[in-house]
């Protein structure tokens, strides 16, 4: 049998595009779902049977018992958060020890990484990133600096020693930042209490197989298994191509599937790009189409735009076509998925950014100077559909102005929209073509 390819699903904006929901919907078509980057800064929401579930580290295929879920080598793990996620799943009747595996090469987020995250944000003051403070930046920094600890190290005799050594290095850095480690709470706990829970989690997660996931994945591909890679964050938060420095610390794009799972570039298949019918962003950084008026507030309220990980208000604005085109280009998107258009069901008019204007010059790509105060957006107005679309189960049931809007986007970005999500539930998903 000739080898299968890995399909990819990722976010094309600043995260929270609805990736978790769509992965859950697509899971029956796959044997394996694999996360390839990011960590518990992610919050992926799934809804079915009237219940809502939020996942942070665990792939969104976990509720399908026949699907294997992989936490790949590119992912970073906070053991305490992982334990809590596992406990919640087990309480809901899932059996993660049967369908979850973790790469030996995934790096560990130490409690002291979380202190460093807080220290760096405090140091940045007004220029802070608005990090989720889950220790993402410091952990990827230590990975690159060749100081990190990995899942596979947990079983080694000298683990505690290496842990202490790295922790002491971190405390040394914290001192130079005059960071008071006794005052800072990590998710409501003192450092010592957090550390104790983190250590206890090592025992708790012993039921989950730790393996060479790159071997597992490539063997699975050769034996004809279908794999979907699930992205976290979004393209505009990518460490290289996002609005640096207001980004996360990993590559969030399709190329990261290769390094984050150990899959060769010629083994990548379809690339599903998920985008909201408008835009949101949590934390600081440029957001050209951001709305500061009632319309922005309406999007936030109707779209329940509050963070799934931190509960923070998400900033809201119109759909940004230059940014979307950029994301499609960087990822090689083959299939677009539009979510949350239903949030605008009552809107008389919907605006879309078609170009930027920078120093009187019109451009239709993302400029390096995105942080420039002189960046203006050129908006185009579209007629709203003024009809509820949340009940639709077939394309034909969708109102004409909405179909028009979909076709307009497809033409503008030159990529087909093959899935339309019309609500948070699994069932509120329409396939096209
Ligand atoms: P993710 O991080 O990309 O998985 O997205 P989040 O879960 O952080 O945020 C998306 C939110 O929108 C969640 O609350 C979902 O339940 C919800 N959602 C997903 N798709 C739709 C949709 O088509 N319509 C509406 N109204 N909500 C949606
Ligand atoms: P999902 O997978 C939205 C944002 C943070 C901050 C910046 C850096 O649910 O789409 P970090 O904690 O990585 O140091 O934060 O990135 N951010 C997200 N925004 N969705 C996410 O994940 C995010 N993960 C990080 O708000 O601005
Ligand atoms: Mg999210």
């Amino acid at each position: 049998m000739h080898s299968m390819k890995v399909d990819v699903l990722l976010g094309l904006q600043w995260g929270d595009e609805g990736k978790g929901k769509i992965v859950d919907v697509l899971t029956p078509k796959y044997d394996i779902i694999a996360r390839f980057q990011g960590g518990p800064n992610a919050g992926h929401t799934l809804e079915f049977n009237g219940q809502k579930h939020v996942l942070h580290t665990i792939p969104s295929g976990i509720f399908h018992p026949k699907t294997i879920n992989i936490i790949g080598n590119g992912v970073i793990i906070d053991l305490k958060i992982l334990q809590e996620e596992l406990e919640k799943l087990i309480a809901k009747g899932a059996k993660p020890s049967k369908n979850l595996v973790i790469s030996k090469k995934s790096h560990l987020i130490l409690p002291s990484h979380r202190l460093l995250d807080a220290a760096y944000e405090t140091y940045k003051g007004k220029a802070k990133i608005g990090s989720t403070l889950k220790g993402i930046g410091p952990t990827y920094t230590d990975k690159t600096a060749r100081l990190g600890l990995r899942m596979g190290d947990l079983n080694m005799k000298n683990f505690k020693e290496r842990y202490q050594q790295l922790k002491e290095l971190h405390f040394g850095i914290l001192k130079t930042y005059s960071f008071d480690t006794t005052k800072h709470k990590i998710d409501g706990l003192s450092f010592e209490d957090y550390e104790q829970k983190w250590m206890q989690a090592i025992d708790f997660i012993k039921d989950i197989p730790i393996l060479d996931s790159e071997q597992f994945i490539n063997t699975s591909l050769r034996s004809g298994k279908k794999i979907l890679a699930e992205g976290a964050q979004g393209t505009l938060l990518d460490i290289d191509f996002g609005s640096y420095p207001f980004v996360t610390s990993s590559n969030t794009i399709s190329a990261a599937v290769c390094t984050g799972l150990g899959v060769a570039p010629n083994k990548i298949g379809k690339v599903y790009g998920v985008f909201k019918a408008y835009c949101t962003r949590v934390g600081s950084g440029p957001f050209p189409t951001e709305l500061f008026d009632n319309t922005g507030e309406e999007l936030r309220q109707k779209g329940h735009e509050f963070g799934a990980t931190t509960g923070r208000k998400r900033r809201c604005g119109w759909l940004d076509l230059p940014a979307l085109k950029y994301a499609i280009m960087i990822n090689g998107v083959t299939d677009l998925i539009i979510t949350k258009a239903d949030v605008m069901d009552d809107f008389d008019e919907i605006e879309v950014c078609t170009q930027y204007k920078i120093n009187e010059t019109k451009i239709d790509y993302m400029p390096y100077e995105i942080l420039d105060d002189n960046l203006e957006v050129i908006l185009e107005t579209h007629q709203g559909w003024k009809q509820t679309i949340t009940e639709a189960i077939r394309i034909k049931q969708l109102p004409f102005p909405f179909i028009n809007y979909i076709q307009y986007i497809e033409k503008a970005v030159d990529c087909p929209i093959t899935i339309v999500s019309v609500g948070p539930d699994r069932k509120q998903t329409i396939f096209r073509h």
Side-chain angles (χ1 to χ4, degrees), residues 33 35 64 67 73 91 169 191 193 212 232 235 328 359 367 394:
I33 308 292
R35 278 274 307 268
H64 299 256
T67 306
N73 58 278
L169 179 70
F191 175 79
D193 290 348
D212 289 311
T235 303
I328 292 169
N359 302 324
R394 267 189 293 275

Side-chain angles (χ1 to χ4, degrees), residues 167 171 181-182 186 189-197:
K167 174 182 147 182
F171 273 71
T181 55
T182 59
I186 310 175
L189 298 179
S190 70
F191 175 79
E192 286 72 22
D193 290 348
Y194 199 92
E195 186 182 44
Q196 197 187 7
K197 294 229 146 95

Side-chain angles (χ1 to χ4, degrees), residues 15-19 41-45 55 233 307-309 314:
D16 305 329
E17 298 90 350
K19 299 175 291 292
N41 49 348
H44 295 181
T45 318
L55 297 165
Q233 291 77 55
T309 295
R314 291 178 183 151

Side-chain angles (χ1 to χ4, degrees), residues 279-294:
C279 282
T280 63
R281 173 163 204 167
V282 216
S284 341
F287 183 177
T289 62
E290 183 169 12
L291 289 164
F292 300 95
D293 58 2
N294 286 337

Side-chain angles (χ1 to χ4, degrees), residues 7-12 22 26 29-30 228-229 269-274 331-337 418-419 431:
D7 290 344
V8 182
L9 183 143
L10 44 72
L12 299 179
I22 304 295
L26 294 177
K29 296 182 199 277
Y30 292 93
L228 179 67
K270 278 189 186 190
V271 180
Y272 290 102
V274 188
N331 291 299
V333 173
T334 57
D335 293 67
L336 284 169
I337 300 173
T418 58
I419 300 175
F431 289 81

